[in-house]
Amino acid sequence: MQFKVTANPNPTAAADREAIIANPTFGTHFTDHQIVVVWEKDKGWLSAEVIPYGPIMMDPSAAVLHYGQEIFEGIKAYRHQDGSIWTFRPEANAKRLQRSARRMALPELPTEIFVESLRQLIAVDGPWVPKPENEKTLYFRPFEIAAENFLGVRAAQRAEYRVIASPVGPYFTGGVKPVSIWIALDSARAGKHGTGEAKTGGNYAASLLAQMKGYENGCSQVMFLDAETATYVEELGGMNLFFVKRDGSVLTPSLDGTILHGITRDSLITLLKDRGHKVEERKVSLAEVREGALSGDITETFACGTAAVITPVGVLKSDKEEIVIGGNEPGELTVSLRKELTGIQYGTVEDRHGWMVKLAD
Ligand SMILES: Cc1ncc(COP(=O)(O)O)c(C=O)c1O
């Protein structure tokens, strides 16, 4: 598929861009261009363009505004020391976008178009990728919406896939410190056969009430439990969870339909197995975590995702209790895994699994 390129006639001045990427904050500034690829029923994916960044002209009857047919991805571009620009496992994000599309009755974007869309955006906005220092990257936000003008509930008949990009800084200011997590006891994110494993806007809207309660209680993220019994740990609002045991084995909740298939999660399972750790993907109850933290059998807990890479979890809190894990200090395995993964992403640690894909020289 050929991308038609229309350059932004009023791009950000180089000095302003450099000031933004010297000190980026998540999701506040965007590059000069966006990608738009259009799909229509009976015609398929029919046009692909790079256009100036700007508002989307949309009819008030557009399906996405009424029935929430929206899916998205999050993936980063990393600049290496030699100036080249790379991304991490883009085929995995493409596959996940396809999985989300199937669940939300949207068309599946072919993997080649997904990867090419990132390349095309970098071809025009490459200077927006920060230098490889202090964990700075360019964050891509690919998303797809049902963009037909029709007030009826039905599978999309016209869809738009777009990509925007925002320079981002380190999730942690002042080093990797353990976070406190709020346990959502009266709010569920995803039910059985629902949309939990799709990366769709509504799941995030559904998590906000609990997130606000978490903030009020000094927590930075929320841990959701299974919706049916509130017994088993699922994931955080935007990250997957791992528990490290004293014997070196590692537990992570299994992907039973309600949990996002995290690409960081999958990559860490591989890195842990490479190191000889036993990794168990299974149901993990809150009671098991509570008892393990208390007895010292669970020595570390960490959350992982593209935005924050790996975050140590020091405390789990609810109205009923406060569970402290590993003395509320970052665990040894947590820190060393984080170093290995970021090293692979920035090209300073060997990429044994062929995860990195070059976007530009
Ligand atoms: C709900 C949820 N779980 C887990 C993750 C982690 O996924 P990934 O590692 O692919 O970023 C994310 C972030 O995308 C998320 O939104």
Side-chain angles (χ1 to χ4, degrees):
M1 184 166 234
Q2 288 292 321
F3 282 71
K4 182 180 162 216
V5 181
T6 306
N8 189 330
N10 298 304
T12 312
D16 293 342
R17 183 188 66 229
E18 291 308 312
I20 292 167
I21 67 176
N23 201 4
T25 45
F26 191 90
T28 48
H29 289 99
F30 296 91
T31 66
D32 293 311
H33 297 86
Q34 61 181 314
I35 301 290
V36 54
V37 185
V38 175
W39 175 92
E40 282 178 23
K41 192 170 183 265
D42 302 328
K43 293 189 186 153
W45 294 99
L46 50 93
S47 67
E49 287 190 70
V50 181
I51 59 171
Y53 186 89
I56 300 177
M57 284 293 289
M58 194 176 269
D59 195 274
S61 71
V64 63
L65 299 178
H66 304 273
Y67 311 116
Q69 289 151 283
E70 188 268 356
I71 56 174
F72 67 99
E73 275 302 322
I75 178 170
K76 288 173 169 173
Y78 308 83
R79 193 180 291 283
H80 285 186
Q81 279 303 339
D82 65 0
S84 58
I85 299 169
W86 298 71
T87 193
F88 183 72
R89 305 189 65 187
E91 294 89 357
N93 289 84
K95 291 267 171 303
R96 188 168 65 188
L97 189 69
Q98 291 157 9
R99 177 194 293 271
S100 301
R102 280 197 291 280
R103 182 63 184 83
M104 304 307 291
L106 282 159
E108 293 177 44
L109 183 82
T111 303
E112 320 76 75
I113 301 181
F114 180 89
V115 179
E116 184 58 20
S117 70
L118 306 184
R119 259 188 235 291
Q120 292 282 334
L121 198 53
I122 288 298
V124 288
D125 285 339
W128 284 89
V129 184
K131 288 199 187 74
E133 52 190 29
N134 203 13
E135 292 190 11
K136 288 181 208 161
T137 56
L138 183 69
Y139 181 84
F140 293 113
R141 169 51 56 86
F143 63 104
E144 195 182 317
I145 54 176
E148 71 221 60
N149 306 332
F150 174 63
L151 271 195
V153 183
R154 68 174 183 201
Q157 300 211 348
R158 181 178 181 279
E160 288 181 10
Y161 162 79
R162 290 182 184 246
V163 189
I164 55 174
S166 170
V168 298
Y171 190 81
F172 305 103
T173 40
V176 179
K177 294 198 190 94
V179 293
S180 297
I181 301 291
W182 185 250
I183 309 168
L185 295 178
D186 55 4
S187 180
R189 174 186 171 276
K192 194 174 173 187
H193 304 310
T195 58
E197 68 175 21
K199 204 163 165 60
T200 182
N203 289 344
Y204 296 81
S207 75
L208 293 176
L209 192 60
Q211 185 177 301
M212 286 194 305
K213 194 154 179 207
Y215 288 162
E216 282 163 19
N217 285 277
C219 295
S220 51
Q221 283 260 337
V222 174
M223 183 171 94
F224 289 97
L225 305 174
D226 73 286
E228 270 171 279
T229 67
T231 305
Y232 299 102
V233 172
E234 297 215 314
E235 62 180 328
L236 304 186
M239 289 191 242
N240 293 114
L241 276 168
F242 281 81
F243 303 94
V244 182
K245 298 186 77 173
R246 191 170 20 204
D247 65 5
S249 63
V250 179
L251 297 177
T252 190
S254 40
L255 303 174
D256 295 332
T258 50
I259 298 178
L260 194 79
H261 293 210
I263 292 155
T264 318
R265 174 190 181 279
D266 183 71
S267 309
L268 291 177
I269 291 173
T270 301
L271 294 182
L272 282 163
K273 287 184 177 166
D274 287 353
R275 290 173 180 218
H277 289 269
K278 182 177 157 207
V279 183
E280 285 182 74
E281 294 181 66
R282 62 163 167 83
K283 284 194 184 304
V284 180
S285 70
L286 180 60
E288 179 178 2
V289 173
R290 181 188 299 118
E291 282 154 27
L294 206 64
S295 68
D297 195 33
I298 290 180
T299 52
E300 305 180 29
T301 295
F302 61 84
C304 66
T306 300
V309 195
I310 297 175
T311 311
V313 174
V315 177
L316 302 176
K317 261 195 213 180
S318 72
D319 290 325
K320 295 188 178 150
E321 63 182 335
E322 185 160 320
I323 305 169
V324 178
I325 305 161
N328 198 9
E329 292 293 330
E332 204 178 308
L333 184 60
T334 304
V335 172
S336 99
L337 269 178
R338 188 170 207 285
K339 210 166 160 207
E340 182 176 4
L341 184 59
T342 52
I344 293 169
Q345 292 168 334
Y346 284 97
T348 57
V349 168
E350 188 197 348
D351 174 22
R352 297 186 305 276
H353 297 283
W355 285 337
M356 300 307 291
V357 172
K358 202 184 224 184
L359 296 177
D361 285 319

